[in-house]
Amino acid sequence: EPEVTQTPSHQVTQMGQEVILHCVPISNHLYFYWYRQILGQKVEFLVSFYNNEISEKSEIFDDQFSVERPDGSNFTLKIRSTKLEDSAMYFCASRGEVNTEAFFGQGTRLTVV
Amino acid sequence: AQKVTQAQTEISVVEKEDVTLDCVYETRDTTYYLFWYKQPPSGELVFLIRRNSFDEQNEISGRYSWNFQKSTSSFNFTITASQVVDSAVYFCALSEPSGSARQLTFGSGTQLTVLP
């Protein structure tokens, strides 16, 4: 069964460092998303990406965040200068069509120290 | 703005008991989609069900059933004869057309613990 793949599963980084989280969505999907979940809290929407551009973003997704789909298969989330409060589980998701269910990757746990 | 409320933060039951997880949502749209996801201790989000706003039929899948009531804006999830493997956090989520990519708005989740 096709699945969304995220790497790494766990990333530890020092405050102020740049970090890139990687995702390979399901191959024929068109809509891509990043969500985050601070430990013990709800899952929050960060950004959606469609047709090679950002379609929606939340207030959390400020200038420190960016997304790219560099080669037609990978979908990356970059945090330019990490802060302690960026520590969270980051989930990538993809959808084939806009009204179908989103399939989530297993998440990347980001720890900023 | 859309909102999903899961008032039950934690529920604990003994194996084989039935348990219902509540979900109440708010939306201004007449067309929307509701979802349930399961997050086991390993952390991934597992899709369970999708329901559109025009389909109020209840659904049963094995030990799982869902009760969608548009009149009360609720989409409750019942597990019959619970098992230890059902222990997880369960999230209800809403997707609306007002978001062009129809991102999900999640509730805060209900931690279900099934004791042997």
Side-chain angles (χ1 to χ4, degrees), chain A residues 6-11 21-22 88-90 106-110:
Chain A
Q6 289 186 245
T7 55
S9 55
H10 192 188
Q11 173 90 46
L21 309 183
H22 297 268
M89 179 77 93
Y90 288 81
Q106 75 277 29
T108 293
R109 180 164 298 286
L110 176 66

Side-chain angles (χ1 to χ4, degrees), chain B residues 34-104:
Chain B
L34 294 162
F35 303 80
W36 277 93
Y37 284 85
K38 175 182 179 179
Q39 186 175 43
S42 49
E44 72 271 25
L45 286 166
V46 179
F47 165 76
L48 295 178
I49 190 170
R50 173 176 66 107
R51 171 67 77 223
N52 78 54
S53 53
F54 295 107
D55 182 3
E56 287 196 70
Q57 260 194 321
N58 291 331
E59 180 152 342
I60 298 174
S61 176
R63 296 185 297 107
Y64 295 169
S65 62
W66 290 270
N67 183 353
F68 176 31
Q69 299 228 345
K70 216 166 173 178
S71 59
T72 56
S73 297
S74 65
F75 186 44
N76 297 338
F77 173 31
T78 297
I79 302 174
T80 303
S82 58
Q83 299 175 1
V84 173
V85 294
D86 295 327
S87 296
V89 181
Y90 290 86
F91 290 97
C92 181
L94 168 69
S95 171
E96 292 182 332
S98 56
S100 61
R102 305 202 184 181
Q103 62 270 19
L104 296 169

Side-chain angles (χ1 to χ4, degrees), chain A residues 81-111:
Chain A
S81 178
T82 49
K83 304 185 282 267
L84 294 176
E85 53 265 37
D86 292 328
S87 295
M89 179 77 93
Y90 288 81
F91 289 103
C92 174
S94 70
R95 260 174 161 157
E97 296 174 15
V98 77
N99 289 329
T100 58
E101 59 271 22
F103 289 92
F104 285 79
Q106 75 277 29
T108 293
R109 180 164 298 286
L110 176 66
T111 304

